[in-house]
Amino acid sequence: METEGMSTASLIKRLLLLVVGMFAFGFLLVPIYDVMCQALGINGKTAGSAWQGEEQVDLQREVRVQFVSSNAEGMRWSFGPQNDEIILHPGEARTVNFFAHNPTDKVMVAQAIPSVAPSRAAAFFHKTECFCFTQQVLQPGESIEMPVRFVVDPGLPNDVRRLTLAYTLFDVTERMAASLDLAAVHTN
């Protein structure tokens, strides 16, 4: 019986170590993913810093930019672009509005995550203003118009004639509840 008790205690320790290891891996997964995407140039993430380039418009070229929106699982907001697509000249600053509506009876916080396709064009897509830079807090039944202002760099490879800017909207209400006093926001 004692050897059986020892093996049970050993098994419990190993399982606890496994749980701790899985938690640590899950916690580090996002930073590891970001580093891998940056190193390998994948995932179509847009350039993270504000564009400092000159606004030289290439009138000889046109690029079609499509806008796609989706809600992550559990997100109940209505969310979408004002325009499905626009045609622009590289170097031309443009603004497109997205709309969001909170149909629920509670305050919600959302975060939009962007992606650009094809991924090799992401480095040439520069957002100068975007609702994705901050989290959006909407009261019950509230709607909001959210702009994204961007420039497609004239250095975009000539064979890229179409870009897709996609946003996925995530419900981060529970995650933000600790740092935001949602009850106070709800009553104001």
Side-chain angles (χ1 to χ4, degrees):
M1 284 292 215
E2 284 185 33
T3 56
E4 190 175 310
M6 289 290 280
S7 67
T8 302
S10 176
L11 178 62
I12 289 173
K13 286 180 185 176
R14 287 181 183 174
L15 288 175
L16 285 174
L17 283 174
L18 179 65
V19 168
V20 169
M22 288 172 34
F23 177 77
F25 180 73
F27 183 75
L28 294 173
L29 194 57
V30 172
I32 291 170
Y33 178 79
D34 288 341
V35 168
M36 293 300 293
C37 287
Q38 186 175 12
L40 299 174
I42 57 175
N43 191 33
K45 287 192 172 187
T46 59
S49 57
W51 187 50
Q52 301 298 320
E54 295 179 28
E55 289 193 23
Q56 295 180 353
V57 179
D58 182 355
L59 296 174
Q60 304 303 312
R61 294 175 56 197
E62 287 185 339
V63 175
R64 182 178 307 269
V65 181
Q66 296 177 306
F67 304 96
V68 178
S69 64
S70 64
N71 287 355
E73 187 175 336
M75 173 47 91
R76 297 183 47 206
W77 288 11
S78 301
F79 171 61
Q82 177 182 10
N83 305 92
D84 291 333
E85 67 179 29
I86 60 171
I87 296 174
L88 56 78
H89 297 285
E92 178 182 9
R94 295 295 289 269
T95 301
V96 171
N97 289 315
F98 281 70
F99 296 96
H101 173 73
N102 177 1
T104 71
D105 61 352
K106 50 188 171 175
V107 177
M108 289 183 69
V109 183
Q111 178 70 54
I113 305 297
S115 180
V116 173
S119 60
R120 68 185 182 104
F124 300 94
F125 191 92
H126 306 285
K127 292 178 289 176
T128 58
E129 176 185 344
C130 185
F131 59 91
C132 63
F133 295 160
T134 60
Q135 292 165 341
Q136 306 300 317
V137 179
L138 288 185
Q139 299 295 320
E142 184 178 11
S143 297
I144 188 171
E145 184 175 286
M146 305 177 296
V148 58
R149 185 167 176 80
F150 62 92
V151 175
V152 175
D153 193 316
L156 179 73
N158 288 330
D159 64 326
V160 178
R161 295 182 187 95
R162 179 184 305 258
L163 297 171
T164 301
L165 174 60
Y167 286 100
T168 302
L169 194 65
F170 290 86
D171 178 1
V172 295
T173 306
E174 287 184 25
R175 207 172 336 158
M176 297 309 299
S179 62
L180 292 174
D181 184 4
L182 293 181
V185 172
H186 182 62
T187 58
N188 291 336

